[in-house]
Amino acid sequence: MSKPNLSRRALLRYSAVGLAAVGSGSLLAACQTTNPETGQAEGAGIQQRIDSGQPVRIAVANEPPYTKLGADGELSGASPDVTKAVLERMGITEIEGVQTDYDSMIPGLGADRWDIVSAGLFMNKTRCSKVLYASPDIVSTESFAVPTGNPKGLTTVDDVKNSDAVVAVLAGSYELKTAKSLGIAEGQLQTYPKAPDAMQGMSDGRVDAVLLPTLTLQSHKDQYGGDFDITEPLDSFPVTGAGAAFRKSDSDFHAEFDAELKKFKETDEFAQILGQWGFAAEPSRKATTEELCATEG
């Protein structure tokens, strides 16, 4: 009988299982501890989790069109759909979506609460110093949501700086850090945990505008309606983009993922995934991790 034709990843997985079965203790058990609450290995690294049959945990914010996590656990959105497609090309289909706030994403990654952040988490110098980003999967613009008629005439960052307007941003977000770096006073920035909370703050009159990615605002308007306008993209904001983020200790897996992603970005399927969520593929194909990681923040 001929030997089965196993892929490299399958061989790795079978090898890990075989090691676990030899002797009174396994190689994996020797270098891992188990979380008593979850029963899962801690500090194992993404490859070891995969080889031991555990799902890849992907952190998202449930903020369409970047990410979407359904009540049934279905994970979608521009970033996760790209990440899932790349993982599938690598032979990995077992995944689990984990919802969290943006300011918890990188700390949670380091604490092994998830394995990949795929959430439209924009690159900047600070974040890039803490994690390994893959090639950009989305490039975005920023806009203000303002009450219908834009009573305070807020169409630029300077309009905010030269007024008493208060702008809602998400805690720990790229918008918060960049707004500060562009000179908007901290007292004019009010933080909220999620986009719907920020939009409700404007509806209730607690803030005069909401600063979020243009497509996030449009998606909110399409889904929920609302008595507000969306300004043209803000020219003062630098080119921004996001990609999947990994722990630095998972550098080998990151390199394999990134190589597969770069090939995938040249396909029609990549363009179709982004188009479904309102993004154009070409800006993401042209942008580089190095360029986006130079963004202040």
Side-chain angles (χ1 to χ4, degrees), residues 17 31 42 47 54 79 98 109 136 174 217 257 267 285:
V17 172
C31 62
E42 291 184 328
Q47 185 61 64
Q54 298 180 72
S79 289
V98 184
L109 187 66
Y174 160 80
L217 296 173
F257 178 95
T267 67
R285 288 169 174 159

mmCIF file of all heavy atoms in Angstrom, residues 17 31 42 47 54 79 98 109 136 174 217 257 267 285:
data_model
loop_
_atom_site.group_PDB
_atom_site.id
_atom_site.type_symbol
_atom_site.label_atom_id
_atom_site.label_comp_id
_atom_site.label_asym_id
_atom_site.label_seq_id
_atom_site.Cartn_x
_atom_site.Cartn_y
_atom_site.Cartn_z
ATOM 1 N N VAL A 17 1.242 14.983 17.204
ATOM 2 C CA VAL A 17 0.400 13.981 17.850
ATOM 3 C C VAL A 17 1.235 12.779 18.231
ATOM 4 O O VAL A 17 1.093 12.195 19.311
ATOM 5 C CB VAL A 17 -0.760 13.578 16.915
ATOM 6 C CG1 VAL A 17 -1.525 12.407 17.499
ATOM 7 C CG2 VAL A 17 -1.682 14.759 16.703
ATOM 8 N N CYS A 31 6.787 21.897 27.631
ATOM 9 C CA CYS A 31 7.038 23.330 27.451
ATOM 10 C C CYS A 31 5.779 24.163 27.529
ATOM 11 O O CYS A 31 5.786 25.321 27.196
ATOM 12 C CB CYS A 31 7.738 23.572 26.104
ATOM 13 S SG CYS A 31 6.754 23.061 24.694
ATOM 14 N N GLU A 42 -1.149 27.299 27.389
ATOM 15 C CA GLU A 42 -0.764 28.701 27.413
ATOM 16 C C GLU A 42 0.668 28.838 26.912
ATOM 17 O O GLU A 42 1.516 27.997 27.183
ATOM 18 C CB GLU A 42 -0.866 29.260 28.831
ATOM 19 C CG GLU A 42 -2.298 29.385 29.338
ATOM 20 C CD GLU A 42 -2.361 30.034 30.702
ATOM 21 O OE1 GLU A 42 -1.418 29.836 31.492
ATOM 22 O OE2 GLU A 42 -3.340 30.744 30.973
ATOM 23 N N GLN A 47 1.583 28.060 16.003
ATOM 24 C CA GLN A 47 1.824 26.812 15.277
ATOM 25 C C GLN A 47 1.578 25.593 16.152
ATOM 26 O O GLN A 47 0.978 24.616 15.710
ATOM 27 C CB GLN A 47 3.255 26.776 14.733
ATOM 28 C CG GLN A 47 3.546 25.559 13.849
ATOM 29 C CD GLN A 47 2.657 25.519 12.619
ATOM 30 O OE1 GLN A 47 2.746 26.402 11.775
ATOM 31 N NE2 GLN A 47 1.792 24.525 12.530
ATOM 32 N N GLN A 54 -6.100 22.727 18.041
ATOM 33 C CA GLN A 54 -6.896 23.817 18.583
ATOM 34 C C GLN A 54 -7.149 24.873 17.507
ATOM 35 O O GLN A 54 -6.336 25.070 16.605
ATOM 36 C CB GLN A 54 -6.165 24.454 19.764
ATOM 37 C CG GLN A 54 -5.932 23.494 20.915
ATOM 38 C CD GLN A 54 -5.204 24.155 22.067
ATOM 39 O OE1 GLN A 54 -5.777 24.982 22.789
ATOM 40 N NE2 GLN A 54 -3.940 23.828 22.250
ATOM 41 N N SER A 79 -11.339 42.468 6.821
ATOM 42 C CA SER A 79 -10.084 41.918 7.347
ATOM 43 C C SER A 79 -10.179 40.420 7.649
ATOM 44 O O SER A 79 -9.335 39.646 7.206
ATOM 45 C CB SER A 79 -9.648 42.695 8.591
ATOM 46 O OG SER A 79 -9.208 43.984 8.244
ATOM 47 N N VAL A 98 -13.095 36.194 18.370
ATOM 48 C CA VAL A 98 -13.180 36.706 19.737
ATOM 49 C C VAL A 98 -13.370 38.213 19.664
ATOM 50 O O VAL A 98 -12.546 38.922 19.096
ATOM 51 C CB VAL A 98 -11.904 36.391 20.553
ATOM 52 C CG1 VAL A 98 -12.080 36.855 21.997
ATOM 53 C CG2 VAL A 98 -11.570 34.914 20.491
ATOM 54 N N LEU A 109 -3.207 40.024 22.732
ATOM 55 C CA LEU A 109 -2.362 39.192 21.878
ATOM 56 C C LEU A 109 -1.131 38.748 22.658
ATOM 57 O O LEU A 109 -0.763 37.570 22.657
ATOM 58 C CB LEU A 109 -1.956 39.979 20.632
ATOM 59 C CG LEU A 109 -1.198 39.236 19.535
ATOM 60 C CD1 LEU A 109 -2.061 38.168 18.894
ATOM 61 C CD2 LEU A 109 -0.713 40.225 18.470
ATOM 62 N N PRO A 136 -0.429 44.973 4.244
ATOM 63 C CA PRO A 136 -1.742 45.623 4.408
ATOM 64 C C PRO A 136 -2.856 44.888 3.649
ATOM 65 O O PRO A 136 -2.674 44.511 2.489
ATOM 66 C CB PRO A 136 -1.523 47.021 3.821
ATOM 67 C CG PRO A 136 -0.059 47.247 3.912
ATOM 68 C CD PRO A 136 0.575 45.916 3.718
ATOM 69 N N TYR A 174 -6.761 54.481 16.421
ATOM 70 C CA TYR A 174 -5.875 55.267 15.555
ATOM 71 C C TYR A 174 -6.370 56.709 15.478
ATOM 72 O O TYR A 174 -5.580 57.654 15.499
ATOM 73 C CB TYR A 174 -5.847 54.636 14.166
ATOM 74 C CG TYR A 174 -5.377 55.559 13.074
ATOM 75 C CD1 TYR A 174 -4.024 55.801 12.869
ATOM 76 C CD2 TYR A 174 -6.290 56.208 12.253
ATOM 77 C CE1 TYR A 174 -3.593 56.666 11.878
ATOM 78 C CE2 TYR A 174 -5.872 57.074 11.250
ATOM 79 C CZ TYR A 174 -4.518 57.298 11.067
ATOM 80 O OH TYR A 174 -4.102 58.148 10.086
ATOM 81 N N LEU A 217 -18.626 54.826 9.028
ATOM 82 C CA LEU A 217 -19.759 55.746 9.157
ATOM 83 C C LEU A 217 -20.844 55.436 8.134
ATOM 84 O O LEU A 217 -22.038 55.446 8.452
ATOM 85 C CB LEU A 217 -19.269 57.188 9.003
ATOM 86 C CG LEU A 217 -18.295 57.675 10.074
ATOM 87 C CD1 LEU A 217 -17.750 59.052 9.711
ATOM 88 C CD2 LEU A 217 -18.977 57.713 11.441
ATOM 89 N N PHE A 257 2.590 33.225 6.638
ATOM 90 C CA PHE A 257 1.305 33.852 6.346
ATOM 91 C C PHE A 257 1.495 35.025 5.393
ATOM 92 O O PHE A 257 0.749 35.179 4.419
ATOM 93 C CB PHE A 257 0.669 34.321 7.657
ATOM 94 C CG PHE A 257 -0.655 35.030 7.505
ATOM 95 C CD1 PHE A 257 -1.849 34.342 7.640
ATOM 96 C CD2 PHE A 257 -0.711 36.394 7.229
ATOM 97 C CE1 PHE A 257 -3.081 34.990 7.505
ATOM 98 C CE2 PHE A 257 -1.928 37.049 7.085
ATOM 99 C CZ PHE A 257 -3.112 36.347 7.223
ATOM 100 N N THR A 267 -4.720 38.224 -6.668
ATOM 101 C CA THR A 267 -5.796 37.444 -7.278
ATOM 102 C C THR A 267 -7.093 38.241 -7.378
ATOM 103 O O THR A 267 -7.294 39.236 -6.679
ATOM 104 C CB THR A 267 -6.077 36.171 -6.460
ATOM 105 O OG1 THR A 267 -6.621 36.539 -5.170
ATOM 106 C CG2 THR A 267 -4.799 35.359 -6.246
ATOM 107 N N ARG A 285 -2.868 46.862 -2.512
ATOM 108 C CA ARG A 285 -1.767 46.215 -3.223
ATOM 109 C C ARG A 285 -0.535 47.114 -3.285
ATOM 110 O O ARG A 285 0.592 46.636 -3.269
ATOM 111 C CB ARG A 285 -2.218 45.846 -4.645
ATOM 112 C CG ARG A 285 -3.203 44.682 -4.692
ATOM 113 C CD ARG A 285 -3.818 44.527 -6.062
ATOM 114 N NE ARG A 285 -4.656 43.316 -6.157
ATOM 115 C CZ ARG A 285 -5.605 43.134 -7.060
ATOM 116 N NH1 ARG A 285 -5.851 44.080 -7.962
ATOM 117 N NH2 ARG A 285 -6.301 42.012 -7.059
#
